[in-house]
Short mmCIF file of all heavy atoms in Angstrom, two decimals:
data_model
loop_
_atom_site.label_atom_id
_atom_site.label_comp_id
_atom_site.label_asym_id
_atom_site.label_seq_id
_atom_site.Cartn_x
_atom_site.Cartn_y
_atom_site.Cartn_z
N THR A 1422 110.48 95.31 85.01
CA THR A 1422 111.15 95.89 86.18
C THR A 1422 110.94 94.98 87.38
O THR A 1422 109.82 94.56 87.66
CB THR A 1422 110.62 97.30 86.48
OG1 THR A 1422 110.60 98.06 85.28
CG2 THR A 1422 111.49 98.00 87.50
N VAL A 1423 112.04 94.68 88.08
CA VAL A 1423 112.01 93.79 89.24
C VAL A 1423 112.30 94.62 90.48
O VAL A 1423 113.41 95.14 90.65
CB VAL A 1423 113.04 92.66 89.09
CG1 VAL A 1423 113.04 91.76 90.33
CG2 VAL A 1423 112.75 91.84 87.83
N HIS A 1424 111.31 94.75 91.35
CA HIS A 1424 111.46 95.52 92.58
C HIS A 1424 111.77 94.63 93.78
O HIS A 1424 112.33 95.11 94.77
CB HIS A 1424 110.18 96.32 92.86
CG HIS A 1424 109.89 97.37 91.85
ND1 HIS A 1424 110.40 98.65 91.92
CD2 HIS A 1424 109.15 97.35 90.70
CE1 HIS A 1424 109.98 99.37 90.89
NE2 HIS A 1424 109.23 98.59 90.13
N ASN A 1425 111.41 93.35 93.70
CA ASN A 1425 111.68 92.39 94.78
C ASN A 1425 111.96 91.03 94.18
O ASN A 1425 111.41 90.68 93.12
CB ASN A 1425 110.48 92.27 95.73
CG ASN A 1425 110.15 93.57 96.43
OD1 ASN A 1425 109.31 94.32 95.96
ND2 ASN A 1425 110.81 93.85 97.54
N SER A 1426 112.78 90.25 94.85
CA SER A 1426 113.07 88.90 94.38
C SER A 1426 111.85 88.01 94.53
O SER A 1426 111.15 88.06 95.55
CB SER A 1426 114.24 88.31 95.17
OG SER A 1426 115.44 89.02 94.91
N LEU A 1427 111.63 87.17 93.54
CA LEU A 1427 110.48 86.26 93.58
C LEU A 1427 110.52 85.32 94.78
O LEU A 1427 109.48 84.95 95.33
CB LEU A 1427 110.43 85.44 92.29
CG LEU A 1427 109.59 86.00 91.14
CD1 LEU A 1427 109.79 85.17 89.89
CD2 LEU A 1427 108.12 86.05 91.51
N LYS A 1428 111.72 84.95 95.22
CA LYS A 1428 111.82 84.03 96.36
C LYS A 1428 111.27 84.64 97.63
O LYS A 1428 110.97 83.93 98.60
CB LYS A 1428 113.28 83.60 96.56
CG LYS A 1428 114.23 84.71 96.95
CD LYS A 1428 115.65 84.20 97.07
CE LYS A 1428 116.63 85.31 97.44
NZ LYS A 1428 116.37 85.89 98.76
N ASP A 1429 111.12 85.98 97.65
CA ASP A 1429 110.63 86.66 98.85
C ASP A 1429 109.17 87.09 98.74
O ASP A 1429 108.66 87.74 99.65
CB ASP A 1429 111.49 87.89 99.13
CG ASP A 1429 112.93 87.53 99.47
OD1 ASP A 1429 113.13 86.51 100.15
OD2 ASP A 1429 113.85 88.26 99.04
N TYR A 1430 108.51 86.77 97.63
CA TYR A 1430 107.10 87.16 97.48
C TYR A 1430 106.26 86.49 98.56
O TYR A 1430 106.45 85.31 98.87
CB TYR A 1430 106.57 86.76 96.10
CG TYR A 1430 106.76 87.82 95.03
CD1 TYR A 1430 107.93 88.56 94.96
CD2 TYR A 1430 105.76 88.06 94.09
CE1 TYR A 1430 108.10 89.51 93.97
CE2 TYR A 1430 105.93 89.02 93.09
CZ TYR A 1430 107.10 89.74 93.04
OH TYR A 1430 107.28 90.70 92.07
N GLU A 1431 105.31 87.25 99.11
CA GLU A 1431 104.41 86.71 100.14
C GLU A 1431 103.23 86.00 99.47
O GLU A 1431 102.09 86.44 99.52
CB GLU A 1431 103.92 87.84 101.04
CG GLU A 1431 105.05 88.50 101.84
CD GLU A 1431 104.57 89.65 102.68
OE1 GLU A 1431 104.05 89.40 103.78
OE2 GLU A 1431 104.69 90.81 102.23
N VAL A 1432 103.55 84.89 98.79
CA VAL A 1432 102.55 84.08 98.10
C VAL A 1432 102.81 82.62 98.42
O VAL A 1432 103.87 82.26 98.93
CB VAL A 1432 102.59 84.31 96.57
CG1 VAL A 1432 102.23 85.74 96.22
CG2 VAL A 1432 103.98 83.97 96.00
N CYS A 1433 101.84 81.76 98.09
CA CYS A 1433 102.03 80.34 98.33
C CYS A 1433 103.05 79.77 97.35
O CYS A 1433 103.36 80.37 96.33
CB CYS A 1433 100.70 79.60 98.21
SG CYS A 1433 100.04 79.53 96.52
N SER A 1434 103.57 78.60 97.67
CA SER A 1434 104.64 78.00 96.86
C SER A 1434 104.17 77.71 95.43
O SER A 1434 104.94 77.83 94.48
CB SER A 1434 105.16 76.73 97.51
OG SER A 1434 104.10 75.81 97.73
N LEU A 1435 102.88 77.35 95.26
CA LEU A 1435 102.36 77.07 93.92
C LEU A 1435 102.35 78.34 93.07
O LEU A 1435 102.76 78.32 91.90
CB LEU A 1435 100.95 76.48 94.01
CG LEU A 1435 100.28 76.16 92.66
CD1 LEU A 1435 101.10 75.12 91.90
CD2 LEU A 1435 98.85 75.67 92.88
N THR A 1436 101.91 79.45 93.66
CA THR A 1436 101.89 80.72 92.92
C THR A 1436 103.32 81.16 92.57
O THR A 1436 103.57 81.63 91.46
CB THR A 1436 101.20 81.82 93.76
OG1 THR A 1436 99.87 81.41 94.05
CG2 THR A 1436 101.17 83.14 93.01
N ARG A 1437 104.23 80.98 93.53
CA ARG A 1437 105.62 81.35 93.25
C ARG A 1437 106.17 80.50 92.11
O ARG A 1437 106.85 81.01 91.23
CB ARG A 1437 106.47 81.18 94.51
CG ARG A 1437 107.92 81.65 94.32
CD ARG A 1437 108.73 81.52 95.59
NE ARG A 1437 108.27 82.44 96.61
CZ ARG A 1437 107.57 82.10 97.68
NH1 ARG A 1437 107.25 80.82 97.88
NH2 ARG A 1437 107.17 83.00 98.56
N TRP A 1438 105.89 79.21 92.12
CA TRP A 1438 106.36 78.33 91.04
C TRP A 1438 105.77 78.78 89.70
O TRP A 1438 106.49 78.81 88.68
CB TRP A 1438 105.93 76.89 91.32
CG TRP A 1438 106.23 75.97 90.17
CD1 TRP A 1438 107.39 75.32 89.89
CD2 TRP A 1438 105.32 75.64 89.09
NE1 TRP A 1438 107.28 74.61 88.72
CE2 TRP A 1438 106.03 74.78 88.20
CE3 TRP A 1438 104.01 75.98 88.80
CZ2 TRP A 1438 105.44 74.27 87.05
CZ3 TRP A 1438 103.43 75.47 87.65
CH2 TRP A 1438 104.14 74.62 86.79
N PHE A 1439 104.50 79.15 89.70
CA PHE A 1439 103.87 79.61 88.46
C PHE A 1439 104.59 80.85 87.92
O PHE A 1439 104.90 80.92 86.72
CB PHE A 1439 102.39 79.94 88.68
CG PHE A 1439 101.72 80.53 87.47
CD1 PHE A 1439 101.20 79.73 86.47
CD2 PHE A 1439 101.64 81.92 87.31
CE1 PHE A 1439 100.60 80.29 85.34
CE2 PHE A 1439 101.05 82.49 86.19
CZ PHE A 1439 100.53 81.66 85.20
N TYR A 1440 104.85 81.82 88.79
CA TYR A 1440 105.50 83.04 88.34
C TYR A 1440 106.91 82.76 87.81
O TYR A 1440 107.31 83.28 86.76
CB TYR A 1440 105.57 84.06 89.48
CG TYR A 1440 104.31 84.87 89.66
CD1 TYR A 1440 103.80 85.12 90.92
CD2 TYR A 1440 103.63 85.40 88.56
CE1 TYR A 1440 102.64 85.87 91.11
CE2 TYR A 1440 102.48 86.14 88.74
CZ TYR A 1440 101.99 86.39 90.00
OH TYR A 1440 100.85 87.12 90.18
N ILE A 1441 107.67 81.95 88.54
CA ILE A 1441 109.04 81.65 88.10
C ILE A 1441 109.01 80.98 86.73
O ILE A 1441 109.77 81.34 85.82
CB ILE A 1441 109.76 80.75 89.13
CG1 ILE A 1441 110.04 81.56 90.40
CG2 ILE A 1441 111.06 80.21 88.56
CD1 ILE A 1441 110.59 80.73 91.55
N THR A 1442 108.12 80.02 86.58
CA THR A 1442 108.02 79.30 85.29
C THR A 1442 107.53 80.22 84.18
O THR A 1442 108.10 80.24 83.08
CB THR A 1442 107.06 78.10 85.44
OG1 THR A 1442 107.52 77.24 86.48
CG2 THR A 1442 106.98 77.32 84.14
N ALA A 1443 106.48 80.99 84.46
CA ALA A 1443 105.91 81.87 83.44
C ALA A 1443 106.90 82.95 83.01
O ALA A 1443 107.02 83.27 81.81
CB ALA A 1443 104.63 82.51 83.98
N LEU A 1444 107.62 83.50 83.97
CA LEU A 1444 108.58 84.56 83.63
C LEU A 1444 109.79 83.99 82.90
O LEU A 1444 110.35 84.66 82.02
CB LEU A 1444 109.01 85.30 84.90
CG LEU A 1444 107.89 86.14 85.53
CD1 LEU A 1444 108.32 86.68 86.89
CD2 LEU A 1444 107.50 87.30 84.62
N ARG A 1445 110.17 82.77 83.22
CA ARG A 1445 111.29 82.16 82.50
C ARG A 1445 110.88 81.88 81.05
O ARG A 1445 111.66 82.13 80.11
CB ARG A 1445 111.69 80.85 83.20
CG ARG A 1445 112.95 80.22 82.60
CD ARG A 1445 113.30 78.94 83.32
NE ARG A 1445 113.71 79.19 84.70
CZ ARG A 1445 113.27 78.52 85.75
NH1 ARG A 1445 112.36 77.57 85.60
NH2 ARG A 1445 113.71 78.79 86.96
N LEU A 1446 109.65 81.41 80.85
CA LEU A 1446 109.19 81.11 79.49
C LEU A 1446 109.00 82.37 78.65
O LEU A 1446 109.20 82.34 77.43
CB LEU A 1446 107.88 80.32 79.55
CG LEU A 1446 107.98 78.89 80.09
CD1 LEU A 1446 106.59 78.28 80.26
CD2 LEU A 1446 108.83 78.03 79.16
#
C-alpha cells in the first residue's frame, strides 16, 4: 500500500534511492 509518493519522503537522497531501488527489485 502506497500512502505517499517516494519522491516526497522526508529522507535523505541516499535513503530515497535505496527505497526506490529496493522496491523496484
Side-chain angles (χ1 to χ4, degrees):
T1422 311
V1423 178
H1424 295 273
N1425 298 94
S1426 294
L1427 268 173
K1428 65 183 179 64
D1429 295 323
Y1430 270 41
E1431 296 177 82
V1432 296
C1433 69
S1434 56
L1435 179 61
T1436 301
R1437 184 178 293 106
W1438 173 85
F1439 175 85
Y1440 277 137
I1441 290 173
T1442 303
L1444 291 171
R1445 187 180 293 133
L1446 291 173

